Amino acid sequence: MTLDAAPHLHPAVLSPRPQPGRHRRDLHQSSRAFVLLTCIVATLALMLSLPAGLQAAEATVIVPFGGGILRDDAQTVAAAAARIEALRLSTASLGRDSAALFSAETPARLLSLTAATFEAHTTATSVVGYPPEVGVAVNIRTTPRGGDAATALRAALRAPEKLELREGILLHTRENLLEARQLALDAARHRQKAGTESESPYDRRFAALARTLRSLDTLERALSYLDGVWRHPIILAADMRQVVEASPEMPLGWTFLGEALLQLDRPQDAVEALDRALALPDAPVRARLARGIANLRLDLTALAVDDLSRVLREAPRLAPAWRARGAARMMRREYGPMCEDFIQACNLGDCEGLASARDAGHCLAPARPQTVKADD
C-alpha cells in the first residue's frame, strides 16, 4: 500500500471510505487546520493482483469545495485525479510486460496503453469535513477491459492510432489537473483565512477546468467507437456537439465532430466543423485529412489537393492521404500524378485506389519501387 499525499496529512483522510463526521473529534484535537483540505489531494492507493500477472489499482482522492467552488466540479476533479493515480499504479505492473515495454516509447505512451487496457469505475463518493473545511472524496478502481487484461493489452497494441489519440487526451487531462489542484488549494486557503463560505478569485477558473476535464473524459470515451472508421457516428456527433459547446477551444472535439458528420454524408457541415478545428492551436493532422476528404466529396478538388498535400508533408506514411489525393487528381484528370499517389498508397498497404484506377485503364505499367515523398 502506498500513500501519495502532502506532508503532515491528518490521519482522518486515510480511510478509503470516508464518512462525514466520522473523525470529528480527531479533527478538532489540534489547533492545526484540517490539513487534507489545504493540501488539496490525498490519495490512498492499493495494488490488486490479477491472474494474468498484470495489476489493477484502487485510489481515493479528496478535493475541497465551498464558496464559489461547486461540489460537482470538485467531484469531477477528484474523479479525474483518482483515475490518473490508479492508472499510474497499474502502469507500474504493465511496464513489466515485454510487449508493452517494446511498444511504449515514452511514459506518456505507457500510460495511454494502461488506460486502453484498464477501465476505471467509481466505487464510492462521499463528503468529508465540516464547513468551511469540507471536501468530496472519490474512490476509483481499475479493472481489465472485458475482464481479461492480457487480451485487452493485445487489442490495445493493435490500435496505435487510438493509443496516440488517448495519449494526447491524457496529457491534456494531467495538465488541467495540475492547475485545478493549485486553484482548489488557493480557494481553500482563501476561505480558511476569511473564515466564511465566501467566493474566491479562483472559483471561475476552477469551474472552467472542471468543464474541460468533463469534455476530455467524453473525448476519451468516444475512442471506444473508433475502429478504423467511427461506429455509431450519430451518437458520436451528438456527444461531440456537447463537447464543443462546453469547450470550444478544444480542437479534437471539432475534429471528431467533423469526422462524424463526414461519415453521415454531410461534407459541408463537416468542413465547417473542421475549419473550427484547424483555426485552433495544436489541431491534429487528422483534422486536415478529414477536411481534404470532405472537400473531395464536395468536388472542390483544388482545395482537397492542397489539404492532402499539406497532410503528406507532415505525415508522409499516411496511406489514406495518398489514396485521397490520388482520387482528387483522378477527378482533375491528372493521371500521371494520380498513379504516383495510388502506388504510394499501395506501397503503404492501401491498394484499393490503384485497383480502381487499373480497372479504368490507368496505371497499367509495372510499378517500380517508390520512395515515399509528399511533393506535388
Side-chain angles (χ1 to χ4, degrees):
M1 180 181 298
T2 62
L3 179 66
D4 179 14
H8 313 301
L9 188 63
H10 196 285
V13 307
L14 301 185
S15 168
R17 299 290 188 274
Q19 298 295 327
R22 180 177 176 181
H23 302 281
R24 184 172 187 178
R25 184 173 13 176
D26 292 340
L27 289 172
H28 295 285
Q29 284 181 343
S30 170
S31 58
R32 187 172 57 193
F34 187 16
V35 180
L36 160 65
L37 300 184
T38 59
C39 289
I40 293 307
V41 173
T43 303
L44 181 69
L46 300 171
M47 299 301 295
L48 308 171
S49 296
L50 296 173
L54 302 176
Q55 289 179 314
E58 185 172 359
T60 298
V61 168
I62 308 175
V63 171
F65 68 92
I69 291 185
L70 302 178
R71 172 183 168 174
D72 285 351
D73 290 340
Q75 184 170 321
T76 294
V77 173
R83 176 174 180 258
I84 291 294
E85 176 63 15
L87 288 175
R88 186 185 68 80
L89 291 167
S90 296
T91 293
S93 66
L94 195 68
R96 293 193 290 268
D97 184 277
S98 58
L101 285 173
F102 181 78
S103 64
E105 301 171 354
T106 64
R109 179 56 60 92
L110 188 58
L111 182 66
S112 173
L113 187 59
T114 307
T117 305
F118 296 97
E119 55 187 347
H121 305 276
T122 301
T123 59
T125 302
S126 59
V127 174
V128 295
Y130 294 89
E133 297 169 346
V134 62
V136 60
V138 178
N139 182 269
I140 295 287
R141 174 178 291 182
T142 59
T143 59
R145 295 182 184 274
D148 185 340
T151 299
L153 174 60
R154 288 194 296 270
L157 290 171
R158 290 194 295 267
E161 178 185 28
K162 292 171 70 170
L163 282 178
E164 183 176 356
L165 288 167
R166 196 184 300 273
E167 179 180 349
I169 293 169
L170 289 172
L171 284 172
H172 198 180
T173 297
R174 297 179 76 177
E175 290 170 359
N176 280 270
L177 279 173
L178 285 174
E179 185 180 356
R181 290 181 181 187
Q182 185 59 50
L183 288 173
L185 173 60
D186 293 340
R189 286 173 173 166
H190 175 88
R191 291 193 303 276
Q192 193 175 58
K193 185 176 180 180
T196 66
E197 284 293 289
S198 60
E199 294 186 2
S200 76
Y202 317 103
D203 300 344
R204 185 172 299 180
R205 176 59 182 163
F206 186 88
L209 288 171
R211 285 196 301 273
T212 298
L213 288 169
R214 284 190 284 268
S215 295
L216 288 166
D217 181 65
T218 302
L219 286 173
E220 189 175 355
R221 291 177 186 276
L223 294 179
S224 64
Y225 299 147
L226 183 59
D227 187 15
V229 297
W230 291 103
R231 294 178 288 109
H232 313 300
I234 294 176
I235 296 174
L236 177 67
D239 288 347
M240 291 306 105
R241 288 199 183 280
Q242 293 181 4
V243 167
V244 299
E245 287 174 6
S247 305
E249 76 288 352
M250 199 172 288
L252 201 56
W254 291 107
T255 300
F256 287 0
L257 175 60
E259 291 176 347
L261 293 170
L262 186 58
Q263 281 191 221
L264 293 171
D265 199 23
R266 295 168 57 184
Q268 185 58 56
D269 292 334
V271 166
E272 293 174 6
L274 295 163
D275 283 345
R276 295 290 299 270
L278 291 166
L280 295 168
D282 302 320
V285 173
R286 62 187 300 124
R288 194 172 298 280
L289 171 61
R291 191 175 71 174
I293 295 171
N295 281 324
L296 179 59
R297 297 263 189 93
L298 293 168
D299 294 332
L300 301 173
T301 55
L303 292 177
V305 168
D306 180 67
D307 268 340
L308 296 166
S309 296
R310 293 177 67 178
V311 168
L312 289 167
R313 284 193 289 272
E314 188 171 346
R317 299 195 63 80
L318 198 57
W322 288 107
R323 177 183 166 190
R325 194 174 72 171
R329 285 173 161 170
M330 175 182 281
M331 293 176 67
R332 294 169 64 82
R333 301 180 185 277
E334 298 171 353
Y335 298 121
M338 172 200 76
C339 291
E340 293 177 3
D341 284 351
F342 283 152
I343 290 170
Q344 295 284 20
C346 189
N347 289 338
L348 293 169
D350 184 348
C351 295
E352 188 171 340
L354 182 60
S356 297
R358 286 178 172 172
D359 287 343
H362 304 290
C363 314
L364 297 176
R368 291 177 295 178
Q370 298 289 320
T371 301
V372 174
K373 61 180 182 178
D375 296 336
D376 290 331

